[in-house]
Amino acid sequence: MNVGCDDMHTLSPRDGPILTPHSTLWLPDDPSGTFARSSLWAVHIFRLLEPHETRALVALALEHAAANGWSTRRHKHHPTTDIAVERETAPALHSAVKPLVARVVLPTLALHYGFELCELQMRDLFVVRYQQGAQDRLTPHRDGNLLSFSILLSDPSEFEGGGLRFHSLGPACDACGGLRAAAATCRRCDGVGRLALPGCGCGDLTTHSGKLLHEGARVTSGTRFVLVGFVHVTSPEIDHEFISHGSLANSSAVGAWADHECVGGARLSPPSSPQREMHTAFDDETALAAHLFGG
Ligand SMILES: O=C(O)CCC(=O)C(=O)O
Ligand SMILES: [Fe+2]
């Protein structure tokens, strides 16, 4: 299959340019009261792509992989088996995905996390493959940037296990009950005590702060493809020294309130109302896209 630029317009979000989540999960409130709830504590799931659109993207990724292979060395810590969605190396995938990200995903992130669109910059965009018998999971980590998103490109019937799992939110493991002592040896939740986010369908977009401790849960059969994006935020409201601290981004240690601390401390002033108008300094889409994607 060859999806050209014109076909990209078939990648149409289900709800218009700014999406409304069908599910939202929040970190629990800080029992000590040190950190007030921030928009960064929310994980949202939105309906985004239709199955024929996700199939077209997977076909493009497989076409690319057949010619170039999958990469496993793009990330120093917690590497994924992936394909970078870059203009130079994967032009067909890039032209399929970039307009969707620029017109829909980034404006949706900006609105729901209380930033200006022009404060967001894509730092990495890649298709990830989890497969039983190959890389089947991604161990607990925090991402290097403040905001992250992932779009599920596979139908949930095509794999078992898998999913985006957070250590501080989501359902308790139904095998061990989520109790720390029992979870330690639990194969179902790999010791986390929680299950992956429920309700994430094919084509759904999940958005979250990359600073929440999370992982790609183990795929026990089949293959799960996701499109993942890391988004840097340049807002003066963000304490970059604090959030870019290497041990926060790359630590695998599960700390009870570590997640809350780093996210609560990342924002120095309260989030703006989600109702406010979008503002952008860019008057045409091309200039905006160039800025968002760094050229
Ligand atoms: O598998 C997922 O949905 C999560 C991927 C992820 O966390 C990452 O690539 O950083
Ligand atoms: Fe991640």
Side-chain angles (χ1 to χ4, degrees), residues 75 78-80 82 126 128 130 137-139 141-144 148-152 162-165 206 208 214-217 224 226-230:
H75 302 112
H78 306 281
T80 37
D82 59 28
F126 49 104
V128 183
Y130 296 95
R137 70 173 297 211
L138 186 61
T139 47
H141 65 281
R142 297 180 176 89
D143 299 327
S148 299
F149 65 84
S150 56
I151 302 171
L152 180 60
L164 179 55
R165 173 158 53 204
T206 303
H208 60 96
H214 64 281
E215 60 179 74
R224 172 176 176 260
V226 263
L227 175 75
V228 174
F230 295 155

PDB file of all heavy atoms in Angstrom, residues 75 78-80 82 126 128 130 137-139 141-144 148-152 162-165 206 208 214-217 224 226-230, ligand 1:
ATOM      1  N   HIS A  75      16.835   5.112  21.724  1.00  0.00           N
ATOM      2  CA  HIS A  75      16.754   5.733  23.054  1.00  0.00           C
ATOM      3  C   HIS A  75      17.792   5.079  23.956  1.00  0.00           C
ATOM      4  O   HIS A  75      17.893   3.862  24.005  1.00  0.00           O
ATOM      5  CB  HIS A  75      15.344   5.545  23.636  1.00  0.00           C
ATOM      6  CG  HIS A  75      14.277   6.130  22.756  1.00  0.00           C
ATOM      7  ND1 HIS A  75      13.357   5.367  22.082  1.00  0.00           N
ATOM      8  CD2 HIS A  75      14.015   7.413  22.418  1.00  0.00           C
ATOM      9  CE1 HIS A  75      12.569   6.155  21.382  1.00  0.00           C
ATOM     10  NE2 HIS A  75      12.937   7.413  21.565  1.00  0.00           N
ATOM     11  N   HIS A  78      15.703   2.725  28.295  1.00  0.00           N
ATOM     12  CA  HIS A  78      14.406   2.152  27.943  1.00  0.00           C
ATOM     13  C   HIS A  78      14.139   2.202  26.440  1.00  0.00           C
ATOM     14  O   HIS A  78      13.143   2.775  25.988  1.00  0.00           O
ATOM     15  CB  HIS A  78      13.275   2.868  28.703  1.00  0.00           C
ATOM     16  CG  HIS A  78      13.491   2.874  30.174  1.00  0.00           C
ATOM     17  ND1 HIS A  78      13.234   1.783  30.971  1.00  0.00           N
ATOM     18  CD2 HIS A  78      13.975   3.828  30.999  1.00  0.00           C
ATOM     19  CE1 HIS A  78      13.542   2.064  32.215  1.00  0.00           C
ATOM     20  NE2 HIS A  78      13.998   3.291  32.262  1.00  0.00           N
ATOM     21  N   PRO A  79      15.034   1.617  25.620  1.00  0.00           N
ATOM     22  CA  PRO A  79      14.814   1.670  24.168  1.00  0.00           C
ATOM     23  C   PRO A  79      13.592   0.852  23.748  1.00  0.00           C
ATOM     24  O   PRO A  79      13.280  -0.169  24.358  1.00  0.00           O
ATOM     25  CB  PRO A  79      16.100   1.057  23.592  1.00  0.00           C
ATOM     26  CG  PRO A  79      16.674   0.250  24.695  1.00  0.00           C
ATOM     27  CD  PRO A  79      16.246   0.893  25.986  1.00  0.00           C
ATOM     28  N   THR A  80      12.921   1.353  22.733  1.00  0.00           N
ATOM     29  CA  THR A  80      11.792   0.632  22.151  1.00  0.00           C
ATOM     30  C   THR A  80      12.218   0.054  20.806  1.00  0.00           C
ATOM     31  O   THR A  80      13.211   0.489  20.218  1.00  0.00           O
ATOM     32  CB  THR A  80      10.595   1.597  21.935  1.00  0.00           C
ATOM     33  OG1 THR A  80      11.095   2.876  21.538  1.00  0.00           O
ATOM     34  CG2 THR A  80       9.773   1.740  23.180  1.00  0.00           C
ATOM     35  N   ASP A  82      11.376   0.343  17.287  1.00  0.00           N
ATOM     36  CA  ASP A  82      10.573   1.427  16.711  1.00  0.00           C
ATOM     37  C   ASP A  82      11.055   1.904  15.342  1.00  0.00           C
ATOM     38  O   ASP A  82      12.084   1.456  14.837  1.00  0.00           O
ATOM     39  CB  ASP A  82      10.517   2.605  17.695  1.00  0.00           C
ATOM     40  CG  ASP A  82      11.900   3.157  18.050  1.00  0.00           C
ATOM     41  OD1 ASP A  82      12.816   3.056  17.226  1.00  0.00           O
ATOM     42  OD2 ASP A  82      12.050   3.692  19.168  1.00  0.00           O
ATOM     43  N   PHE A 126       7.432   8.330  16.968  1.00  0.00           N
ATOM     44  CA  PHE A 126       7.896   7.021  16.497  1.00  0.00           C
ATOM     45  C   PHE A 126       6.810   5.963  16.629  1.00  0.00           C
ATOM     46  O   PHE A 126       5.951   6.035  17.503  1.00  0.00           O
ATOM     47  CB  PHE A 126       9.163   6.582  17.252  1.00  0.00           C
ATOM     48  CG  PHE A 126       9.087   6.687  18.755  1.00  0.00           C
ATOM     49  CD1 PHE A 126       8.923   5.555  19.538  1.00  0.00           C
ATOM     50  CD2 PHE A 126       9.181   7.916  19.400  1.00  0.00           C
ATOM     51  CE1 PHE A 126       8.857   5.633  20.929  1.00  0.00           C
ATOM     52  CE2 PHE A 126       9.110   8.015  20.801  1.00  0.00           C
ATOM     53  CZ  PHE A 126       8.953   6.878  21.556  1.00  0.00           C
ATOM     54  N   VAL A 128       5.994   2.205  17.554  1.00  0.00           N
ATOM     55  CA  VAL A 128       6.597   1.172  18.406  1.00  0.00           C
ATOM     56  C   VAL A 128       5.914  -0.167  18.136  1.00  0.00           C
ATOM     57  O   VAL A 128       4.697  -0.217  17.939  1.00  0.00           O
ATOM     58  CB  VAL A 128       6.408   1.526  19.905  1.00  0.00           C
ATOM     59  CG1 VAL A 128       7.090   0.493  20.796  1.00  0.00           C
ATOM     60  CG2 VAL A 128       6.934   2.906  20.201  1.00  0.00           C
ATOM     61  N   TYR A 130       5.402  -3.904  19.882  1.00  0.00           N
ATOM     62  CA  TYR A 130       5.548  -4.875  20.967  1.00  0.00           C
ATOM     63  C   TYR A 130       5.059  -6.204  20.422  1.00  0.00           C
ATOM     64  O   TYR A 130       3.960  -6.269  19.859  1.00  0.00           O
ATOM     65  CB  TYR A 130       4.678  -4.524  22.173  1.00  0.00           C
ATOM     66  CG  TYR A 130       5.033  -3.235  22.858  1.00  0.00           C
ATOM     67  CD1 TYR A 130       4.374  -2.057  22.528  1.00  0.00           C
ATOM     68  CD2 TYR A 130       6.004  -3.194  23.848  1.00  0.00           C
ATOM     69  CE1 TYR A 130       4.674  -0.868  23.162  1.00  0.00           C
ATOM     70  CE2 TYR A 130       6.316  -2.011  24.492  1.00  0.00           C
ATOM     71  CZ  TYR A 130       5.647  -0.851  24.137  1.00  0.00           C
ATOM     72  OH  TYR A 130       5.942   0.327  24.769  1.00  0.00           O
ATOM     73  N   ARG A 137       7.626  -5.710  26.012  1.00  0.00           N
ATOM     74  CA  ARG A 137       7.205  -4.739  27.027  1.00  0.00           C
ATOM     75  C   ARG A 137       8.227  -3.613  27.087  1.00  0.00           C
ATOM     76  O   ARG A 137       9.322  -3.716  26.507  1.00  0.00           O
ATOM     77  CB  ARG A 137       7.073  -5.397  28.398  1.00  0.00           C
ATOM     78  CG  ARG A 137       8.399  -5.800  29.018  1.00  0.00           C
ATOM     79  CD  ARG A 137       8.266  -6.306  30.446  1.00  0.00           C
ATOM     80  NE  ARG A 137       7.766  -5.312  31.382  1.00  0.00           N
ATOM     81  CZ  ARG A 137       8.089  -5.271  32.669  1.00  0.00           C
ATOM     82  NH1 ARG A 137       8.917  -6.176  33.182  1.00  0.00           N
ATOM     83  NH2 ARG A 137       7.603  -4.358  33.467  1.00  0.00           N
ATOM     84  N   LEU A 138       7.874  -2.565  27.793  1.00  0.00           N
ATOM     85  CA  LEU A 138       8.813  -1.477  28.066  1.00  0.00           C
ATOM     86  C   LEU A 138       8.789  -1.266  29.572  1.00  0.00           C
ATOM     87  O   LEU A 138       7.727  -1.016  30.148  1.00  0.00           O
ATOM     88  CB  LEU A 138       8.382  -0.212  27.314  1.00  0.00           C
ATOM     89  CG  LEU A 138       9.324   0.977  27.388  1.00  0.00           C
ATOM     90  CD1 LEU A 138      10.687   0.643  26.783  1.00  0.00           C
ATOM     91  CD2 LEU A 138       8.716   2.176  26.648  1.00  0.00           C
ATOM     92  N   THR A 139       9.955  -1.408  30.194  1.00  0.00           N
ATOM     93  CA  THR A 139      10.025  -1.393  31.659  1.00  0.00           C
ATOM     94  C   THR A 139       9.665  -0.001  32.214  1.00  0.00           C
ATOM     95  O   THR A 139       9.671   0.993  31.480  1.00  0.00           O
ATOM     96  CB  THR A 139      11.438  -1.808  32.106  1.00  0.00           C
ATOM     97  OG1 THR A 139      12.369  -1.075  31.326  1.00  0.00           O
ATOM     98  CG2 THR A 139      11.656  -3.289  31.914  1.00  0.00           C
ATOM     99  N   HIS A 141       9.370   3.632  33.498  1.00  0.00           N
ATOM    100  CA  HIS A 141      10.223   4.784  33.192  1.00  0.00           C
ATOM    101  C   HIS A 141       9.389   6.059  33.233  1.00  0.00           C
ATOM    102  O   HIS A 141       8.156   6.010  33.288  1.00  0.00           O
ATOM    103  CB  HIS A 141      10.827   4.638  31.784  1.00  0.00           C
ATOM    104  CG  HIS A 141       9.789   4.668  30.706  1.00  0.00           C
ATOM    105  ND1 HIS A 141       9.009   3.575  30.399  1.00  0.00           N
ATOM    106  CD2 HIS A 141       9.379   5.660  29.877  1.00  0.00           C
ATOM    107  CE1 HIS A 141       8.179   3.881  29.430  1.00  0.00           C
ATOM    108  NE2 HIS A 141       8.367   5.158  29.100  1.00  0.00           N
ATOM    109  N   ARG A 142      10.086   7.165  33.181  1.00  0.00           N
ATOM    110  CA  ARG A 142       9.450   8.454  32.895  1.00  0.00           C
ATOM    111  C   ARG A 142      10.053   8.951  31.595  1.00  0.00           C
ATOM    112  O   ARG A 142      11.216   8.672  31.313  1.00  0.00           O
ATOM    113  CB  ARG A 142       9.697   9.444  34.035  1.00  0.00           C
ATOM    114  CG  ARG A 142       9.081   8.995  35.338  1.00  0.00           C
ATOM    115  CD  ARG A 142       9.323   9.996  36.467  1.00  0.00           C
ATOM    116  NE  ARG A 142       8.634   9.582  37.665  1.00  0.00           N
ATOM    117  CZ  ARG A 142       9.159   8.785  38.603  1.00  0.00           C
ATOM    118  NH1 ARG A 142      10.396   8.343  38.486  1.00  0.00           N
ATOM    119  NH2 ARG A 142       8.466   8.445  39.656  1.00  0.00           N
ATOM    120  N   ASP A 143       9.277   9.674  30.805  1.00  0.00           N
ATOM    121  CA  ASP A 143       9.793  10.149  29.527  1.00  0.00           C
ATOM    122  C   ASP A 143      10.642  11.402  29.747  1.00  0.00           C
ATOM    123  O   ASP A 143      10.545  12.066  30.783  1.00  0.00           O
ATOM    124  CB  ASP A 143       8.633  10.446  28.563  1.00  0.00           C
ATOM    125  CG  ASP A 143       7.807   9.187  28.284  1.00  0.00           C
ATOM    126  OD1 ASP A 143       8.392   8.092  28.258  1.00  0.00           O
ATOM    127  OD2 ASP A 143       6.588   9.320  28.095  1.00  0.00           O
ATOM    128  N   GLY A 144      11.438  11.725  28.743  1.00  0.00           N
ATOM    129  CA  GLY A 144      12.346  12.855  28.880  1.00  0.00           C
ATOM    130  C   GLY A 144      11.654  14.210  28.780  1.00  0.00           C
ATOM    131  O   GLY A 144      12.241  15.220  29.144  1.00  0.00           O
ATOM    132  N   SER A 148       3.473  13.574  26.831  1.00  0.00           N
ATOM    133  CA  SER A 148       3.614  12.424  25.935  1.00  0.00           C
ATOM    134  C   SER A 148       2.239  12.043  25.418  1.00  0.00           C
ATOM    135  O   SER A 148       1.222  12.314  26.068  1.00  0.00           O
ATOM    136  CB  SER A 148       4.183  11.219  26.684  1.00  0.00           C
ATOM    137  OG  SER A 148       5.453  11.511  27.205  1.00  0.00           O
ATOM    138  N   PHE A 149       2.236  11.416  24.244  1.00  0.00           N
ATOM    139  CA  PHE A 149       0.975  10.860  23.770  1.00  0.00           C
ATOM    140  C   PHE A 149       1.239   9.553  23.060  1.00  0.00           C
ATOM    141  O   PHE A 149       2.370   9.277  22.629  1.00  0.00           O
ATOM    142  CB  PHE A 149       0.225  11.846  22.854  1.00  0.00           C
ATOM    143  CG  PHE A 149       0.908  12.177  21.561  1.00  0.00           C
ATOM    144  CD1 PHE A 149       0.774  11.347  20.448  1.00  0.00           C
ATOM    145  CD2 PHE A 149       1.682  13.317  21.443  1.00  0.00           C
ATOM    146  CE1 PHE A 149       1.404  11.659  19.249  1.00  0.00           C
ATOM    147  CE2 PHE A 149       2.320  13.637  20.249  1.00  0.00           C
ATOM    148  CZ  PHE A 149       2.174  12.796  19.143  1.00  0.00           C
ATOM    149  N   SER A 150       0.209   8.732  22.971  1.00  0.00           N
ATOM    150  CA  SER A 150       0.339   7.500  22.196  1.00  0.00           C
ATOM    151  C   SER A 150      -0.990   7.214  21.520  1.00  0.00           C
ATOM    152  O   SER A 150      -2.059   7.502  22.077  1.00  0.00           O
ATOM    153  CB  SER A 150       0.765   6.337  23.090  1.00  0.00           C
ATOM    154  OG  SER A 150      -0.130   6.188  24.159  1.00  0.00           O
ATOM    155  N   ILE A 151      -0.899   6.702  20.306  1.00  0.00           N
ATOM    156  CA  ILE A 151      -2.099   6.355  19.530  1.00  0.00           C
ATOM    157  C   ILE A 151      -2.032   4.852  19.281  1.00  0.00           C
ATOM    158  O   ILE A 151      -1.044   4.367  18.708  1.00  0.00           O
ATOM    159  CB  ILE A 151      -2.140   7.135  18.198  1.00  0.00           C
ATOM    160  CG1 ILE A 151      -2.118   8.644  18.457  1.00  0.00           C
ATOM    161  CG2 ILE A 151      -3.382   6.742  17.392  1.00  0.00           C
ATOM    162  CD1 ILE A 151      -1.936   9.500  17.200  1.00  0.00           C
ATOM    163  N   LEU A 152      -3.048   4.152  19.727  1.00  0.00           N
ATOM    164  CA  LEU A 152      -3.054   2.693  19.537  1.00  0.00           C
ATOM    165  C   LEU A 152      -3.401   2.392  18.085  1.00  0.00           C
ATOM    166  O   LEU A 152      -4.476   2.754  17.597  1.00  0.00           O
ATOM    167  CB  LEU A 152      -4.075   2.050  20.491  1.00  0.00           C
ATOM    168  CG  LEU A 152      -4.185   0.530  20.394  1.00  0.00           C
ATOM    169  CD1 LEU A 152      -2.846  -0.149  20.710  1.00  0.00           C
ATOM    170  CD2 LEU A 152      -5.279   0.019  21.330  1.00  0.00           C
ATOM    171  N   GLY A 162      -0.382  -6.257  27.189  1.00  0.00           N
ATOM    172  CA  GLY A 162      -0.045  -4.967  26.591  1.00  0.00           C
ATOM    173  C   GLY A 162      -0.820  -3.805  27.180  1.00  0.00           C
ATOM    174  O   GLY A 162      -1.617  -3.958  28.108  1.00  0.00           O
ATOM    175  N   GLY A 163      -0.554  -2.608  26.667  1.00  0.00           N
ATOM    176  CA  GLY A 163      -1.249  -1.402  27.118  1.00  0.00           C
ATOM    177  C   GLY A 163      -0.322  -0.502  27.902  1.00  0.00           C
ATOM    178  O   GLY A 163       0.773  -0.888  28.321  1.00  0.00           O
ATOM    179  N   LEU A 164      -0.769   0.710  28.055  1.00  0.00           N
ATOM    180  CA  LEU A 164      -0.004   1.720  28.787  1.00  0.00           C
ATOM    181  C   LEU A 164      -0.395   1.598  30.259  1.00  0.00           C
ATOM    182  O   LEU A 164      -1.574   1.737  30.603  1.00  0.00           O
ATOM    183  CB  LEU A 164      -0.355   3.097  28.217  1.00  0.00           C
ATOM    184  CG  LEU A 164       0.292   4.325  28.806  1.00  0.00           C
ATOM    185  CD1 LEU A 164       1.812   4.244  28.796  1.00  0.00           C
ATOM    186  CD2 LEU A 164      -0.163   5.565  28.028  1.00  0.00           C
ATOM    187  N   ARG A 165       0.601   1.311  31.091  1.00  0.00           N
ATOM    188  CA  ARG A 165       0.307   1.087  32.512  1.00  0.00           C
ATOM    189  C   ARG A 165       1.009   2.146  33.354  1.00  0.00           C
ATOM    190  O   ARG A 165       2.216   2.353  33.222  1.00  0.00           O
ATOM    191  CB  ARG A 165       0.785  -0.296  32.926  1.00  0.00           C
ATOM    192  CG  ARG A 165       0.659  -0.523  34.422  1.00  0.00           C
ATOM    193  CD  ARG A 165       0.610  -1.957  34.822  1.00  0.00           C
ATOM    194  NE  ARG A 165       1.697  -2.759  34.300  1.00  0.00           N
ATOM    195  CZ  ARG A 165       1.622  -4.077  34.139  1.00  0.00           C
ATOM    196  NH1 ARG A 165       0.509  -4.722  34.422  1.00  0.00           N
ATOM    197  NH2 ARG A 165       2.643  -4.755  33.682  1.00  0.00           N
ATOM    198  N   THR A 206      -4.024   8.543  23.694  1.00  0.00           N
ATOM    199  CA  THR A 206      -3.876   8.707  25.145  1.00  0.00           C
ATOM    200  C   THR A 206      -2.858   9.813  25.383  1.00  0.00           C
ATOM    201  O   THR A 206      -1.795   9.824  24.751  1.00  0.00           O
ATOM    202  CB  THR A 206      -3.373   7.397  25.796  1.00  0.00           C
ATOM    203  OG1 THR A 206      -4.281   6.359  25.478  1.00  0.00           O
ATOM    204  CG2 THR A 206      -3.297   7.525  27.311  1.00  0.00           C
ATOM    205  N   HIS A 208      -0.690  12.170  28.384  1.00  0.00           N
ATOM    206  CA  HIS A 208      -0.302  12.175  29.798  1.00  0.00           C
ATOM    207  C   HIS A 208       0.977  12.977  29.981  1.00  0.00           C
ATOM    208  O   HIS A 208       1.692  13.258  29.012  1.00  0.00           O
ATOM    209  CB  HIS A 208      -0.105  10.744  30.316  1.00  0.00           C
ATOM    210  CG  HIS A 208       0.951   9.949  29.603  1.00  0.00           C
ATOM    211  ND1 HIS A 208       2.250   9.844  30.064  1.00  0.00           N
ATOM    212  CD2 HIS A 208       0.916   9.226  28.456  1.00  0.00           C
ATOM    213  CE1 HIS A 208       2.948   9.073  29.251  1.00  0.00           C
ATOM    214  NE2 HIS A 208       2.174   8.685  28.268  1.00  0.00           N
ATOM    215  N   HIS A 214       5.492   5.170  34.235  1.00  0.00           N
ATOM    216  CA  HIS A 214       4.621   4.325  33.399  1.00  0.00           C
ATOM    217  C   HIS A 214       5.450   3.292  32.659  1.00  0.00           C
ATOM    218  O   HIS A 214       6.681   3.321  32.708  1.00  0.00           O
ATOM    219  CB  HIS A 214       3.828   5.200  32.416  1.00  0.00           C
ATOM    220  CG  HIS A 214       4.685   5.925  31.418  1.00  0.00           C
ATOM    221  ND1 HIS A 214       5.385   7.078  31.717  1.00  0.00           N
ATOM    222  CD2 HIS A 214       4.972   5.666  30.114  1.00  0.00           C
ATOM    223  CE1 HIS A 214       6.055   7.481  30.662  1.00  0.00           C
ATOM    224  NE2 HIS A 214       5.830   6.641  29.664  1.00  0.00           N
ATOM    225  N   GLU A 215       4.777   2.428  31.955  1.00  0.00           N
ATOM    226  CA  GLU A 215       5.473   1.380  31.203  1.00  0.00           C
ATOM    227  C   GLU A 215       4.562   0.863  30.098  1.00  0.00           C
ATOM    228  O   GLU A 215       3.356   1.133  30.091  1.00  0.00           O
ATOM    229  CB  GLU A 215       5.838   0.238  32.144  1.00  0.00           C
ATOM    230  CG  GLU A 215       4.628  -0.404  32.802  1.00  0.00           C
ATOM    231  CD  GLU A 215       5.026  -1.557  33.726  1.00  0.00           C
ATOM    232  OE1 GLU A 215       5.549  -1.265  34.807  1.00  0.00           O
ATOM    233  OE2 GLU A 215       4.812  -2.714  33.337  1.00  0.00           O
ATOM    234  N   GLY A 216       5.170   0.142  29.172  1.00  0.00           N
ATOM    235  CA  GLY A 216       4.388  -0.597  28.181  1.00  0.00           C
ATOM    236  C   GLY A 216       4.230  -2.003  28.737  1.00  0.00           C
ATOM    237  O   GLY A 216       5.204  -2.745  28.848  1.00  0.00           O
ATOM    238  N   ALA A 217       3.011  -2.362  29.118  1.00  0.00           N
ATOM    239  CA  ALA A 217       2.801  -3.673  29.750  1.00  0.00           C
ATOM    240  C   ALA A 217       3.110  -4.791  28.748  1.00  0.00           C
ATOM    241  O   ALA A 217       3.009  -4.599  27.526  1.00  0.00           O
ATOM    242  CB  ALA A 217       1.362  -3.786  30.251  1.00  0.00           C
ATOM    243  N   ARG A 224       1.306  -5.559  19.186  1.00  0.00           N
ATOM    244  CA  ARG A 224       0.668  -4.267  19.487  1.00  0.00           C
ATOM    245  C   ARG A 224       1.532  -3.155  18.897  1.00  0.00           C
ATOM    246  O   ARG A 224       2.724  -3.056  19.217  1.00  0.00           O
ATOM    247  CB  ARG A 224       0.550  -4.109  21.011  1.00  0.00           C
ATOM    248  CG  ARG A 224       0.085  -2.738  21.479  1.00  0.00           C
ATOM    249  CD  ARG A 224      -0.091  -2.713  23.003  1.00  0.00           C
ATOM    250  NE  ARG A 224      -0.452  -1.393  23.462  1.00  0.00           N
ATOM    251  CZ  ARG A 224       0.416  -0.521  24.005  1.00  0.00           C
ATOM    252  NH1 ARG A 224       1.683  -0.846  24.174  1.00  0.00           N
ATOM    253  NH2 ARG A 224       0.011   0.678  24.379  1.00  0.00           N
ATOM    254  N   VAL A 226       1.941   0.991  18.424  1.00  0.00           N
ATOM    255  CA  VAL A 226       1.503   2.305  18.911  1.00  0.00           C
ATOM    256  C   VAL A 226       2.367   3.385  18.275  1.00  0.00           C
ATOM    257  O   VAL A 226       3.554   3.160  18.002  1.00  0.00           O
ATOM    258  CB  VAL A 226       1.638   2.487  20.444  1.00  0.00           C
ATOM    259  CG1 VAL A 226       0.366   2.234  21.180  1.00  0.00           C
ATOM    260  CG2 VAL A 226       2.759   1.702  21.037  1.00  0.00           C
ATOM    261  N   LEU A 227       1.752   4.526  18.071  1.00  0.00           N
ATOM    262  CA  LEU A 227       2.501   5.703  17.636  1.00  0.00           C
ATOM    263  C   LEU A 227       2.704   6.561  18.874  1.00  0.00           C
ATOM    264  O   LEU A 227       1.730   6.961  19.527  1.00  0.00           O
ATOM    265  CB  LEU A 227       1.699   6.477  16.586  1.00  0.00           C
ATOM    266  CG  LEU A 227       2.318   7.791  16.129  1.00  0.00           C
ATOM    267  CD1 LEU A 227       3.498   7.527  15.198  1.00  0.00           C
ATOM    268  CD2 LEU A 227       1.283   8.645  15.411  1.00  0.00           C
ATOM    269  N   VAL A 228       3.958   6.816  19.223  1.00  0.00           N
ATOM    270  CA  VAL A 228       4.256   7.545  20.463  1.00  0.00           C
ATOM    271  C   VAL A 228       4.883   8.897  20.123  1.00  0.00           C
ATOM    272  O   VAL A 228       5.679   9.006  19.183  1.00  0.00           O
ATOM    273  CB  VAL A 228       5.229   6.714  21.346  1.00  0.00           C
ATOM    274  CG1 VAL A 228       5.669   7.510  22.570  1.00  0.00           C
ATOM    275  CG2 VAL A 228       4.571   5.416  21.782  1.00  0.00           C
ATOM    276  N   GLY A 229       4.515   9.922  20.863  1.00  0.00           N
ATOM    277  CA  GLY A 229       5.115  11.243  20.674  1.00  0.00           C
ATOM    278  C   GLY A 229       5.574  11.821  22.001  1.00  0.00           C
ATOM    279  O   GLY A 229       4.883  11.692  23.018  1.00  0.00           O
ATOM    280  N   PHE A 230       6.740  12.449  21.983  1.00  0.00           N
ATOM    281  CA  PHE A 230       7.259  13.176  23.154  1.00  0.00           C
ATOM    282  C   PHE A 230       7.216  14.670  22.834  1.00  0.00           C
ATOM    283  O   PHE A 230       7.711  15.098  21.784  1.00  0.00           O
ATOM    284  CB  PHE A 230       8.706  12.790  23.452  1.00  0.00           C
ATOM    285  CG  PHE A 230       8.899  11.353  23.869  1.00  0.00           C
ATOM    286  CD1 PHE A 230      10.121  10.735  23.673  1.00  0.00           C
ATOM    287  CD2 PHE A 230       7.879  10.632  24.474  1.00  0.00           C
ATOM    288  CE1 PHE A 230      10.327   9.414  24.063  1.00  0.00           C
ATOM    289  CE2 PHE A 230       8.068   9.313  24.867  1.00  0.00           C
ATOM    290  CZ  PHE A 230       9.297   8.705  24.663  1.00  0.00           C
TER     291      PHE A 230
HETATM  292  O1  LIG B   1       3.440   1.170  25.098  1.00  0.00           O
HETATM  293  C1  LIG B   1       3.021   2.267  25.397  1.00  0.00           C
HETATM  294  O2  LIG B   1       1.865   2.609  25.179  1.00  0.00           O
HETATM  295  C2  LIG B   1       3.952   3.222  26.119  1.00  0.00           C
HETATM  296  C3  LIG B   1       5.184   3.591  25.361  1.00  0.00           C
HETATM  297  C4  LIG B   1       6.060   4.491  26.151  1.00  0.00           C
HETATM  298  O3  LIG B   1       5.840   4.748  27.289  1.00  0.00           O
HETATM  299  C5  LIG B   1       7.242   5.094  25.533  1.00  0.00           C
HETATM  300  O4  LIG B   1       7.556   4.758  24.366  1.00  0.00           O
HETATM  301  O5  LIG B   1       7.885   5.921  26.184  1.00  0.00           O
END
